[in-house]
Amino acid sequence: MGNNDPKGDMETRKISVETTPDQRSGNSNLPNFLQSVRLKYVKLGYHYLISHGMYLLLVPLLGILFVHLSSITTQDLILLYNHLKFNLVSVALCSALMVFLGTLYFMTRPRKVLLVDFACYKPKPEVMCSKELFMERSKEAGIFTEENLNFQKKILERSGLGQKTYFPEALLRVPANPCMAEARKEAEMVMFGAIDDLLAKTGVKAKDIGILVVNCSLFNPTPSLSAMIVNHYKLRGNILSYNLGGMGCSAGLISIDLAKQLLQVNPNSYALVVSMENITLNWYFGNNRSMLVSNCIFRMGGAAILLSNKSSDRKRAKYQLIHTVRTHKGADDKSYSCVFQEEDEKKQVGVALSKDLMAVAGEALKTNITTLGPLVLPMSEQLLFFVTLVARKVFKMKIKPYIPDFKLAFEHFCIHAGGRAVLDELEKNLELSEWHMEPSRMTLNRFGNTSSSSLWYELAYMEAKGRIRKGNRTWQIAFGSGFKCNSAVWKALRRVDPAKEKNPWMDEINDFPVEVPRVVTIN
């Protein structure tokens, strides 16, 4: 996660927020995953396209049938009637065929999943935590060694976090008071704050919500967080409620995918998705450096998203969900254990990050984007990519691999603000511009790593900047423990007018982008 070099200078040394500090001589960069694509991942993408796109074959057939029927004249109908009135077999067969095709189309056609609106929680100024205040509270805890206090200070300086991130009230007190009651208080503050804003924006009544999906990785009380929401808003008794725990920073998109699948089989429904993380009980009070980095970069935040499959919501909805692609590398032991919650030698619980984390992340990202490629890339890009891939893998030709230009598939990118190092490497590997990376970098600077909700702060940033136009496509990509990498693709159904928006950025959007010092890696 970093470089344990006390002589490191901010301009000449780089502490990665995604690798352990023990690897001073190792390469902390993400592997260039687009340079070593495996053919099986491309097959996954095309298999996904075929298995989820069979209904598309029926659309042209029905279209041809409709065009043919529209050209029939009255004389044709009379001739057809005279031909069929004494031929009951032909009438029965034609009728059965039309009923079969119509039934098959409507049964296999997936319901469109619409994002009506979303809201991100903005804590009160009283819990704002500057870097100096964070270090002051860390020192006052009386637990960390002087060496590890300096280590945390270096992590903060190189993390990409700004001076206005938010920390739980219980951890800002002197002495800190991390207990179950305070953790519940933080969860209620974040969840209810985001949901209140969402219901006010959409005008939807709590009783109208039929599906609830909540994800929080490390805090899983009993009753569950989803039960807390049901109780607070008095949601209806037959609500489909799900609480996802232990699934890391990519769980927000897992929740979206689960809600999408539930909406496919429950017509005329609203789905509420709540994504957050809880810090109060998960601040690490120990001196294991592989567990200390999460203290420095994770901050308080959360988001609530309202999805719908009602055709009547299309006019007011902001986005339509086009694709979700999930990649899970948990079958591999190295991937499974690279982010691991455990006790240190003094029985203090923390999340340990392996030195293999960056390599694991690169492999998961490579699999995910290669699977996603056939679904979103223009045919010209797919053809060039596929030809060069086959030439290299099948015919063993020594040619330079073709790197698809994902900027041709998406106008906007929401990359999980997990840390500066990963953002730097993804910018380089995907050949993105500073403009494309701005939402992720500014979210990291202003709100820190808010885990699974960071993608929504990034989308809110784009809306506040007035960047969202009708037809724009946005790619959300996140990764987390397990190891998982997940993607979601959204299409804007209308222009989002920032003058009519209410989100955490609106009262200060003119202050962004801010200058974020870049670090240089010395090999």
Side-chain angles (χ1 to χ4, degrees):
M1 295 256 314
N3 190 332
N4 184 15
D5 184 356
K7 298 181 181 179
D9 183 88
M10 186 171 181
E11 299 301 325
T12 58
R13 292 288 188 265
K14 176 180 178 181
I15 292 185
S16 166
V17 297
E18 314 299 347
T19 56
T20 59
D22 305 307
Q23 295 300 107
R24 287 184 288 182
S25 60
N27 182 8
S28 64
N29 292 343
L30 268 173
N32 193 335
F33 47 86
L34 288 176
Q35 296 290 334
S36 56
V37 173
R38 295 180 183 176
L39 191 59
K40 67 176 182 179
Y41 299 149
V42 180
K43 292 179 181 178
L44 277 176
Y46 284 103
H47 174 73
Y48 186 98
L49 178 63
I50 293 170
S51 61
H52 288 73
M54 288 300 294
Y55 74 96
L56 293 175
L57 298 176
L58 295 174
V59 175
L61 291 176
L62 291 175
I64 293 171
L65 181 61
F66 177 78
V67 171
H68 180 68
L69 290 175
S70 64
S71 64
I72 294 177
T73 64
T74 305
Q75 188 65 30
D76 292 329
L77 291 174
I78 294 173
L79 290 174
L80 181 64
Y81 174 75
N82 291 331
H83 177 72
L84 294 178
K85 66 180 179 180
F86 298 114
N87 195 337
L88 294 178
V89 176
S90 298
V91 172
L93 289 176
C94 288
S95 300
L97 179 61
M98 292 179 65
V99 171
F100 173 75
L101 290 175
T103 303
L104 185 62
Y105 171 72
F106 284 106
M107 288 184 63
T108 58
R109 182 187 62 175
R111 292 183 175 89
K112 294 180 179 179
V113 176
L114 308 174
L115 191 158
V116 180
D117 214 331
F118 67 97
C120 300
Y121 176 66
K122 186 174 185 178
K124 297 178 180 179
E126 290 77 14
V127 292
M128 195 173 286
C129 182
S130 65
K131 296 176 183 178
E132 291 76 18
L133 181 58
F134 177 88
M135 290 307 305
E136 182 181 327
R137 292 295 180 266
S138 296
K139 188 173 182 180
E140 289 171 345
I143 295 170
F144 307 110
T145 65
E146 192 66 30
E147 184 181 21
N148 279 338
L149 286 171
N150 291 332
F151 171 76
Q152 292 182 75
K153 185 177 180 180
K154 288 180 181 180
I155 293 292
L156 279 175
E157 290 173 349
R158 295 156 172 81
S159 65
L161 273 68
Q163 294 285 63
K164 295 184 177 182
T165 58
Y166 300 98
F167 222 52
E169 183 181 349
L171 297 180
L172 291 176
R173 292 176 186 161
V174 180
N177 183 32
C179 62
M180 178 63 75
E182 290 294 338
R184 286 183 181 274
K185 182 179 177 181
E186 179 194 348
E188 291 173 353
M189 187 187 308
V190 173
M191 293 192 304
F192 301 162
I195 295 172
D196 286 346
D197 287 345
L198 179 63
L199 296 180
K201 291 171 72 173
T202 60
V204 172
K205 297 178 181 179
K207 290 287 187 181
D208 294 334
I209 297 171
I211 299 168
L212 173 64
V213 183
V214 182
N215 68 269
C216 182
S217 190
L218 295 177
F219 182 57
N220 292 287
T222 300
S224 66
L225 296 175
S226 60
M228 290 168 63
I229 294 175
V230 172
N231 176 261
H232 181 79
Y233 291 97
K234 308 304 178 188
L235 302 183
R236 63 199 200 193
N238 64 342
I239 190 168
L240 301 176
S241 175
Y242 298 85
N243 195 95
L244 308 182
M247 304 195 77
C249 298
S250 67
L253 296 185
I254 295 176
S255 295
I256 293 293
D257 182 65
L258 175 58
K260 179 191 77 170
Q261 295 186 47
L262 292 169
L263 287 170
Q264 293 297 333
V265 295
N266 292 277
N268 201 38
S269 298
Y270 283 117
L272 174 62
V273 175
V274 181
S275 294
M276 60 166 289
E277 192 51 82
N278 190 285
I279 301 174
T280 299
L281 283 180
N282 296 292
W283 207 48
Y284 172 61
F285 289 91
N287 284 284
N288 185 324
R289 288 196 176 184
S290 67
M291 298 179 177
L292 277 174
V293 177
S294 59
N295 280 11
C296 301
I297 62 174
F298 280 93
R299 293 295 184 265
M300 186 166 64
I305 304 97
L306 184 68
L307 302 178
S308 172
N309 58 13
K310 301 181 180 183
S311 57
S312 59
D313 283 321
R314 187 171 181 85
K315 289 184 178 180
R316 67 169 181 153
K318 286 184 174 179
Y319 307 94
Q320 180 181 334
L321 182 60
I322 306 301
H323 301 293
T324 53
V325 175
R326 293 169 55 179
T327 300
H328 203 307
K329 291 289 185 178
D332 175 65
D333 291 341
K334 184 187 294 184
S335 300
Y336 171 74
S337 60
C338 68
V339 180
F340 211 85
Q341 186 179 27
E342 59 185 356
E343 293 176 330
D344 64 11
E345 60 278 1
K346 294 186 177 180
K347 303 302 180 181
Q348 291 293 328
V349 177
V351 178
L353 305 177
S354 166
K355 60 182 174 60
D356 299 316
L357 180 55
M358 293 297 280
V360 168
E363 182 67 20
L365 283 165
K366 178 177 66 176
T367 307
N368 189 270
I369 67 172
T370 311
T371 306
L372 180 67
L375 302 175
V376 298
L377 287 170
M379 189 56 65
S380 58
E381 288 293 296
Q382 292 192 48
L383 185 60
L384 288 170
F385 175 76
F386 188 74
V387 168
T388 55
L389 181 64
V390 171
R392 285 168 53 84
K393 300 296 183 180
V394 178
F395 297 103
K396 308 299 181 183
M397 296 175 63
K398 295 182 178 180
I399 59 175
K400 184 178 179 180
Y402 181 74
I403 301 175
D405 186 359
F406 280 89
K407 296 188 293 295
L408 297 176
F410 307 108
E411 284 76 28
H412 307 289
F413 296 80
C414 292
I415 300 170
H416 168 54
R420 175 188 283 173
V422 168
L423 295 181
D424 288 346
E425 292 303 318
L426 280 172
E427 178 181 357
K428 180 177 68 176
N429 278 291
L430 294 178
E431 299 180 353
L432 302 178
S433 67
E434 291 186 7
W435 185 88
H436 289 115
M437 298 298 299
E438 184 182 307
S440 298
R441 293 193 187 281
M442 294 306 103
T443 295
L444 182 63
N445 178 273
R446 179 61 182 86
F447 294 97
N449 182 346
T450 59
S451 190
S452 57
S453 66
S454 68
L455 299 174
W456 301 104
Y457 286 91
E458 294 165 16
L459 188 56
Y461 180 90
M462 297 177 195
E463 292 186 351
K465 281 289 185 180
R467 295 183 178 181
I468 303 298
R469 298 287 189 272
K470 183 177 180 180
N472 282 179
R473 297 152 299 176
T474 301
W475 179 17
Q476 291 181 322
I477 184 166
F479 37 90
S481 58
F483 193 87
K484 300 178 289 294
C485 179
N486 303 309
S487 290
V489 178
W490 303 91
K491 181 180 179 181
L493 299 177
R494 58 181 172 87
R495 175 181 176 270
V496 178
D497 186 356
K500 299 178 181 179
E501 282 302 305
K502 180 184 177 183
N503 72 44
W505 296 94
M506 294 311 303
D507 58 349
E508 53 185 305
I509 191 61
N510 292 330
D511 298 334
F512 293 90
V514 298
E515 185 67 26
V516 179
R518 304 300 291 269
V519 290
V520 179
T521 303
I522 291 184
N523 295 325

